Structure formats: C-alpha cells, structure tokens
Amino acid sequence: MKLIEKTMNKFIEQENEEKDGSEIFRTVQVAKVDQSNVSPPLRSAGDSAAPLVEVPAGSDELNLIPPLNFAMVDNGIFRSGFPEPVNFNFIKTLGLRSIISLCPEAYPENNMQFLKSNGIKLFQFGIKGYKCLPGLENEVWLHLWNSKHQKEGSYTNANSKTTSEPFVNIPDYKIREALKVLLDEKNHPLLIHCNRGKHRTGCLVGCMRKLQKWCLTSIFDEYQRFAAAKARVSDQRFMELFDVSSFKQIPMSFSCSSS
C-alpha cells in the first residue's frame, strides 16, 4: 500500500510540473573529439593480449585455399581432390614429403614443378575413374554390370575367387601397392588424391581403416561423407571384400612426428 501511495504521489507531482510548464528534459551538449590526437589506452602489466597485425592485401596469408574435399585422415595423412595451382600455398603449410595420386593421367607440368621445388615425392597408382549410368540407382547399375560381364571372367580377390567382376576399375594390386606407401611413416606427411577426392581416394582410405580395425559401418560412413549422393555400392563391396591378412598389424593411429 505504501508503494502504491508513493507512486501515486510521484505521478501527481509530475503532472503538476507539466501543468506549470516547467522543463522536464535536459539538453546535453556533445563535443566532437579529434581522434588523431587521442593516444591508445595503456595496457596493464597482466594484459597479455597480442597486438593486431595488419596483413598486406597481396600477402600469401590470404591465399591459403585447400583442395577440393580436403580433410585430415590421420596424423601425417591427408586426402583431397586433385590439387590445383591455387591450392599450392595451402599445401606448402602441410610440409608434405609425399603425394599418392590415384589418377592415370600424366601429372601436369605445373604440379611437377611445385613438387620438385618443395621436395615432395610423387607416387602414382593410376586407377581409371568411371561413372555410373545416369538415372540408375547403384544397386541397379551393379546388377546390370554384373550381368553384362559375368561371361568375361571372375574377379580375383584374395578373399574371394569366384565373385563376378564388379570392381574392374579398382585393381586390387594397385590398392595394395598404394597401401604399402601409405603405411610407411617415412613417407609422411602424405597427401592422397584422385580427381574429386571421393571414390578412388575413399576406397584407399577405407582399406586402411580395415587395417586399423574399424568396423564396416564406420568405414562406409566415412566413405559416404565424401561421396555423398554419388556413393557407389561397388566401392563399398570392394572395401568389404578387401583382404588385409597379408599386411602387418598397424597402429590405431600414426604418430605425428615429421622428423
């Protein structure tokens, strides 16, 4: 009650002031400050914030563009699509020793010059890329492909001798040779790439994951994360049937040493 009474009295006093024509609002004068003569604030002894550094407009620091589908696979192992000249500044920051290319085409001269000038060794395991027939689901395409090529022979896989050939574009022996380079830490840091960084690169990484004792669900999830809507049943079948028994046990994760 006292609070209501006090509020009512204040309202009455304000209303009387308005009737008397007294001024309610005050005018505040603002002075314009010349900032050119203003010194920056002094930092306290405990303030460890780093000063801002102005980066020149033409600096390479602004041109660190990673290749298409770039990602880290493990310590010292990276994956991506085909590196373009615009990606060279970024690739320099990785300190690579080796590149595994899964493309069959001759390596571009610009790329070869970049590798030579940065002491990067190229390992090329040419695997021809292919595309599914447009408008067909992977399962339908795989069935038609198997039916067409069933008379031409059988796929030779260390894990299966009688499976009809759905993997002609992913030669088993080339993946094995690429894996030997990939697993040798003397070649790290290392970048794996194909054209788009999806299918061929995904198969090689998937086979490495089998060596790391990943379950198939996790291997396929990683593959599909990069292949997205273009994920292929044939690639996943290849990874599922790939026999890793001939390889020595490898660590669940590689060391990050680059010495």
Side-chain angles (χ1 to χ4, degrees), residues 13-228:
E13 290 176 1
Q14 182 177 350
E15 188 178 32
N16 291 334
E17 287 180 0
E18 291 177 351
K19 289 180 180 180
D20 295 338
S22 58
E23 185 176 335
I24 300 176
F25 301 98
R26 292 183 300 170
T27 302
V28 180
Q29 293 184 351
V30 180
K32 184 177 180 180
V33 179
D34 185 1
Q35 296 184 355
S36 62
N37 297 324
V38 178
S39 300
L42 297 176
R43 295 186 181 278
S44 61
D47 190 353
S48 59
L52 296 177
V53 178
E54 183 177 353
V55 179
S59 172
D60 288 344
E61 298 294 332
L62 299 178
N63 299 319
L64 299 181
I65 303 173
L68 179 69
N69 281 327
F70 175 83
M72 182 177 179
V73 178
D74 206 318
N75 290 322
I77 302 176
F78 307 93
R79 62 179 291 171
S80 74
F82 203 101
E84 301 290 344
V86 71
N87 310 132
F88 289 170
N89 286 330
F90 175 84
I91 293 175
K92 284 182 182 179
T93 67
L94 303 178
L96 297 180
R97 285 180 176 173
S98 311
I99 284 182
I100 293 179
S101 173
L102 301 176
C103 299
E105 298 80 12
Y107 223 57
E109 184 61 28
N110 286 342
N111 291 59
M112 291 300 298
Q113 288 295 331
F114 171 76
L115 299 188
K116 183 177 180 180
S117 62
N118 289 276
I120 302 173
K121 187 173 182 179
L122 174 65
F123 296 91
Q124 189 165 13
F125 303 94
I127 299 175
K128 187 177 180 181
Y130 69 99
K131 295 182 179 180
C132 295
L133 298 176
L136 294 180
E137 295 293 334
N138 280 325
E139 292 83 355
V140 177
W141 175 86
L142 184 61
H143 174 74
L144 293 177
W145 201 101
N146 283 336
S147 299
K148 178 181 178 181
H149 294 272
Q150 190 171 14
K151 296 180 180 180
E152 297 181 7
S154 297
Y155 172 66
T156 301
N157 183 296
N159 195 43
S160 176
K161 300 295 183 180
T162 59
T163 305
S164 59
E165 166 72 83
F167 312 118
V168 66
N169 298 104
I170 310 176
D172 183 273
Y173 73 96
K174 288 190 176 182
I175 292 294
R176 292 182 179 278
E177 292 300 313
L179 269 177
K180 292 177 183 177
V181 174
L182 174 60
L183 300 178
D184 188 350
E185 292 191 62
K186 294 179 182 178
N187 297 321
H188 297 181
L190 176 147
L191 172 69
I192 311 164
H193 79 78
C194 52
N195 187 33
R196 308 290 291 180
K198 294 181 178 180
H199 304 108
R200 288 166 283 184
T201 297
C203 286
L204 179 58
V205 171
C207 292
M208 188 198 81
R209 296 306 193 194
K210 288 192 75 172
L211 283 164
Q212 292 180 310
K213 305 299 183 183
W214 281 33
C215 66
L216 283 175
T217 301
S218 297
I219 293 173
F220 293 163
D221 283 347
E222 182 180 40
Y223 168 84
Q224 292 166 3
R225 194 159 61 246
F226 291 90

